[in-house]
Each structure stands twice: as C-alpha cells, then as structure tokens.
Amino acid sequence: MTGRGLLVAGTTSDAGKSVVTAGICRWLVRQGVKVAPFKAQNMSLNSFVTREGAEIGRAQAMQAQACRVEPTALMNPVLLKPGGESSSQVVLLGRPVGEMSARGYHGGRQQALLGTVLDCLAELRGTYDAVICEGAGSPAEINLRRTDIVNMGIARNARLPVLVVGDIDRGGVFASFFGTVALLSPQDQECVAGFLVNKFRGDVSLLEPGLDMLHSLTGRRTYGVLPFRHGLGIDEEDGLRVSLRGSVRESVVAPPVGADVLRVAVCAVPLMSNFTDVDALAAEPGVVVRFVDRPEELTDADLVVVPGTRGTVRALEWLRERGLAAALARRAAEHRPVLGICGGFQILGEHIEDDVESRRGRVDGLGILPVRVRFAREKTLARPVGVALGEHVEGYEIHHGVADVTGGEPFLDGCRVGQTWGTHWHGSLESDGFRRAFLREVAAAAGRRFVPAPGTSFAALREEQLDRLGDLIEQHADTDALWRLIESGAPQGLPFLPPGAPA
C-alpha cells in the first residue's frame, strides 16, 4: 500500500502547481490517506526552517501543513536561493553548500544531485501512502532536459504519472497543453497522463468542446477545471505576485474593529526574501499592507517594514538611491514606527562587515539602531521561542549576519529604539497575541484609533485557506480518476504527439 505518487507539472511558472499540489494533499488527507509533498528542486527566496534545523522552500512547508505533517528536508532536498541574475546559493538537504552560477549548476552539478533527490523521494514513498510531487517551471524546457531532476527527469526515474496544470486566465491554455506534450520525447510523453485547467472564469460548458478536441488531439483527458478564486496564492515561491504598489491580498477582508485602519508600507527591496512575514499583518481586519518603492509612499504609512533580503548591501544601496533611506531616517527621528526584519534589521544598524554575501567589506548602515553586523560563513538556521511585549512569540531564523547589539531596549534577538524595532526573527507576527500587542503600540504611536480584532487567529486562517484548496479539488476535479492515477500510474498506450523532443 506504499509508493503511490503523482507529479504536478505546469505549462509555465506560476501556473498554480504549488496550490494545486497543496489542494490535492489536503483532499487526500481528508480521505484518510497518509500523504507527503515533495519538490526535488525549488528556486525561491521564501524559505522556512524545519524543527531539525533544515532550510526548505516555504511552499513545501505550506504543503506539509496541508498534509497535516511536519515538514522535513526530504520534502525539498535542493533549494536554490538567487543572489543575482546568474548565481544562486545551493541548499542541499537543508544546509547551504555554496554559491554557483546557473551555467555551473546546469553544466553538471544538477545531474549529480539526481541520486540524492531520488533517495529522498524513495524514503518518503516508503513511509507514506502517497507522495504528491511538484515540478518546476515547465517540463518542456528542452534546453534543460538533459540535466533535469525536477520534472520529467524524476517522473521517468521514479515512474510517476504527470498531471499538467495550465493557467487559462493567461490565455492560450490549449496551445500550451498541446505544445508541452508535443515537445517531449516519446518516453517522457508516456508519463503525461492528462491536464488540469486552473483559474477558469465563466461557464464550464463553453469550455467543454475545447477539452473534447484536446482529448482527441492528444489522447489525454482533462482531470478537472478549477474556477478562479481570490486570495489563494499562499506562500509564493518564485517572486512577488503583486505589483509594487498593489495590496498584499486580493480577497475582501473584514472591516476594522476600531474607528481607523492601519496602513503598512513594505519596502520592496531587491532580492526580497520571506515577504510572507507580512501576511499575518494583512490578515488583520483593518490593516492595509502595500509594497512600495518611492519615498513619498512612506508619508502616510503608520508602519514601515524593511523586510528580509538575500542581498543586504545591495538593498541598502537601493534604499539610498531611491531616497527611501533618508525617508526611513526621518521617520525614526520623528518617532514614527519602523520594523526591520532579518536583512531589514541589519540595514537599520550602524555598519555591516560583509565578506560573505556581497564581499564588499565594511559598509555603513542607516545608523538608526545601535547594531553592528558581521557576516559569518556559517548560516544561522533556528526556530527560536521567546517573549516580547509581554506575549509569547515563536519564529525562525535564516541569516549569515551576526548582530552585536550595543544598546536600546531588548526586542526578541534584536533591539528597539523609540518606535524603531529590529529582529532577525521571521514569522514572529504569526504569534497572535504578540501581533496584536505590536499593532496596539504602532496605532498609539501613529495616533490611529485602530483596535486589533480580538479573535483573529493566523493559524486558523491558514487552515481555512488550505481547506478551500482541498474543496477546489474535491468539487471541481474528477477525484475518482485522480486517485486511480495516483494509485496505478499513467494509462497504458497513450499516443505519441509529433514532433517530440529535438534530437
């Protein structure tokens, strides 16, 4: 009864693979199936620390929550954290093993990791009733197929059926489905069982003739048509899915409890990491969170957040170039609330000694907090627990910077001076009591008649989102056929679509 599995691939990046995988996982666990998520290789600046101190993509941590299991390094053995246009930090089994260029990685290193990836998947398949795997990008990236370990490379080696997800909201979904299959080799095509349409708006009956034609052209069925739903893009991995001046969440939130709303501006620094930190703020009724990139956009903000980044020195220069650094300094001098998280905390300090990330040596920070930062080669990966503002707080740490705090009031592992706070702890705002206490302080300093909603539970809201994903699968996919696919693999005798992969 072990070893069942499925690979959820996509016609493009951001087709919805992560949320579809999470939805299938939540649907299965509600049927009593012991299920785990898996993504062989993930490129993301949004990461998480497991209980054993391993760093994995946040999307896989979210999918593990959908499965109601603890996330582990097995679920995301390779994590690539971009540090620029052409290089990434390689995290293997939860630990960084070095920086590598894209050419170097795809030139040989990636293929060498195939054995490790397959071993991790085999261990999960031996432990769980089913493993739902997520691909990356598109399986039809023919320039990368030779070294692929995350799409058809793993599907072929692990004998996994493949479900291809397409985002119909973008347009061209039929061509994308057909072209994805037609650009694969005959052996790869044998793994592709069929399709799943994502983000459909309108009357499904109008789509059905196209699905019938797609079936006749490819010999492959469509396993479901998922309707467009707002507010389901939880724990994104490949980048910021909102415009710089757009709201964090599209869904309608409850009205404020008090007389005023609270406006939060998040500086959209380069290589922004773990911007999911502000999701807990956006979940509060009456809190409006926006990403900004101009100094004038800080003027009417009640709180400014300087988030984490994989390029602290680069982000510091960006803030100065755009005039945001001067605006932050003015806010601090005027005792208007500012929160720095991880790299943002380091930026607010006196200086940074960086011979690891940027290799720029000593760089002056903004001088707002009495903190001196030295970058260590060993990365700190931890799950700290503490007390702040009289409330229990849990978080996680992912950073090379070691902070020497020389003054101010203690605040988690950082400090507070006036209305400027700094900490390395990601995820602290998910602690409900602490978040409410922090927002009360912000509202008082900003002169806003804002009152945190007493019953908001971020964990409960996350569970509701995951249940909504499970509902989408249960209500809009052919779950009987989907389970047969997971249990028995791709149907036999699927036709070959020419021309196939180039020789």
Side-chain angles (χ1 to χ4, degrees):
M1 295 295 288
T2 61
R4 301 161 175 149
L6 173 72
L7 177 70
V8 179
T11 56
T12 61
S13 293
D14 199 30
K17 298 184 293 292
S18 294
V19 293
V20 167
T21 299
I24 293 173
C25 287
R26 179 49 62 100
W27 161 67
L28 285 172
V29 81
R30 293 195 308 206
Q31 309 309 307
V33 178
K34 185 181 178 186
V35 60
F38 179 79
K39 185 163 186 173
Q41 173 194 294
N42 194 349
M43 178 172 281
S44 178
L45 287 171
N46 280 342
S47 58
F48 182 76
V49 179
T50 67
R51 293 206 181 278
E52 70 267 28
E55 185 180 8
I56 65 172
R58 269 201 72 103
Q60 278 60 66
M62 175 268 291
Q63 291 161 356
Q65 187 176 350
C67 297
R68 298 185 179 133
V69 298
E70 275 292 322
T72 72
L74 292 174
M75 297 172 183
N76 179 207
V78 182
L79 173 63
L80 305 179
K81 303 193 73 174
E85 294 297 322
S86 59
S87 68
S88 293
Q89 182 181 66
V90 181
V91 179
L92 179 62
L93 292 174
R95 296 288 173 180
V97 294
E99 296 279 337
M100 187 165 290
S101 69
R103 180 179 293 274
Y105 183 69
H106 290 288
R109 176 65 167 167
Q110 183 182 33
Q111 182 66 19
L113 295 173
L114 179 60
T116 300
V117 162
L118 291 172
D119 288 345
C120 291
L121 177 56
E123 186 170 342
L124 288 174
R125 294 178 85 178
T127 305
Y128 292 88
D129 298 335
V131 179
I132 307 303
C133 307
E134 179 188 344
S138 163
E141 291 168 350
I142 54 180
N143 55 316
L144 302 177
R145 176 61 185 91
R146 183 178 60 85
T147 57
D148 171 52
I149 64 170
V150 66
N151 289 308
M152 303 313 298
I154 194 168
R156 284 266 298 279
N157 279 280
R159 302 181 64 82
L160 290 170
V162 177
L163 182 69
V164 181
V165 177
D167 178 359
I168 197 170
D169 199 48
R170 294 183 176 192
V173 74
F174 292 115
S176 297
F177 281 146
F178 185 93
T180 296
V181 179
L183 281 175
L184 301 179
S185 69
Q187 295 82 4
D188 285 353
Q189 288 191 24
E190 290 174 3
C191 298
V192 179
F195 314 106
L196 187 77
V197 176
N198 193 28
K199 302 182 185 178
F200 179 72
R201 306 173 192 251
D203 185 346
V204 176
S205 66
L206 298 177
L207 188 66
E208 287 171 350
L211 300 179
D212 292 340
M213 284 186 275
L214 182 67
H215 188 195
S216 65
L217 287 166
T218 66
R220 290 158 175 86
R221 59 166 299 172
T222 297
Y223 285 77
V225 177
L226 307 186
F228 188 97
R229 290 287 186 266
H230 288 280
L232 292 181
I234 53 179
D235 289 353
E236 303 286 6
E237 60 183 32
D238 296 321
L240 188 59
R241 302 304 185 203
V242 293
S243 70
L244 286 180
R245 285 174 288 280
S247 176
V248 167
R249 58 177 65 239
E250 300 172 343
S251 56
V252 176
V253 296
V257 175
D260 292 337
V261 299
L262 210 60
R263 296 172 176 84
V264 179
V266 184
C267 297
V269 297
L271 297 174
M272 182 164 39
S273 61
N274 286 64
F275 54 82
T276 47
D277 280 334
V278 299
D279 281 353
L281 293 178
E284 282 285 346
V287 176
V288 180
V289 181
R290 300 175 69 83
F291 290 93
V292 303
D293 64 346
R294 298 187 306 212
E296 58 268 26
E297 294 175 301
L298 305 190
T299 304
D300 65 348
D302 302 307
L303 169 67
V304 174
V305 177
V306 187
T309 171
R310 248 283 277 158
T312 305
V313 171
R314 178 178 168 186
L316 182 57
E317 292 173 341
W318 181 88
L319 289 168
R320 287 188 166 123
E321 289 166 0
R322 289 181 171 259
L324 286 160
L328 287 167
R330 285 194 300 272
R331 282 189 68 92
E334 295 166 359
H335 298 283
R336 302 181 65 201
V338 176
L339 171 64
I341 302 174
C342 200
F345 168 43
Q346 298 165 7
I347 284 168
L348 297 176
E350 296 172 359
H351 68 253
I352 298 167
E353 293 277 355
D354 182 11
D355 295 318
V356 176
E357 195 174 76
S358 69
R359 297 182 176 86
R360 294 280 296 277
R362 178 171 171 143
V363 178
D364 288 338
L366 299 188
I368 297 172
L369 292 176
V371 178
R372 297 164 186 169
V373 177
R374 175 185 56 82
F375 272 58
R377 296 199 176 276
E378 188 72 19
K379 182 185 282 191
T380 296
L381 297 170
R383 291 276 292 269
V385 176
V387 175
L389 303 179
E391 299 286 347
H392 176 80
V393 189
E394 297 182 17
Y396 57 99
E397 294 183 66
I398 306 170
H399 54 92
H400 285 280
V402 178
D404 177 19
V405 180
T406 61
E409 301 174 41
F411 176 68
L412 301 176
D413 70 330
C415 65
R416 170 187 181 177
V417 174
Q419 295 300 324
T420 301
W421 295 264
T423 177
H424 274 130
W425 291 23
H426 294 290
S428 62
L429 294 166
E430 296 179 18
S431 298
D432 298 324
F434 167 71
R435 181 180 65 253
R436 286 192 279 268
F438 176 71
L439 290 176
R440 281 193 290 269
E441 292 237 1
V442 169
R448 295 287 185 189
R449 294 172 297 168
F450 168 84
V451 179
T456 303
S457 166
F458 185 74
L461 289 171
R462 175 55 53 88
E463 278 296 303
E464 288 175 13
Q465 281 189 306
L466 293 171
D467 276 333
R468 288 173 65 198
L469 294 178
D471 292 344
L472 279 179
I473 298 299
E474 189 169 330
Q475 296 167 10
H476 301 282
D478 185 339
T479 52
D480 289 340
L482 197 58
W483 175 245
R484 288 195 297 272
L485 193 60
I486 294 168
E487 190 174 40
S488 305
Q492 298 295 309
L494 292 170
F496 168 71
L497 269 65

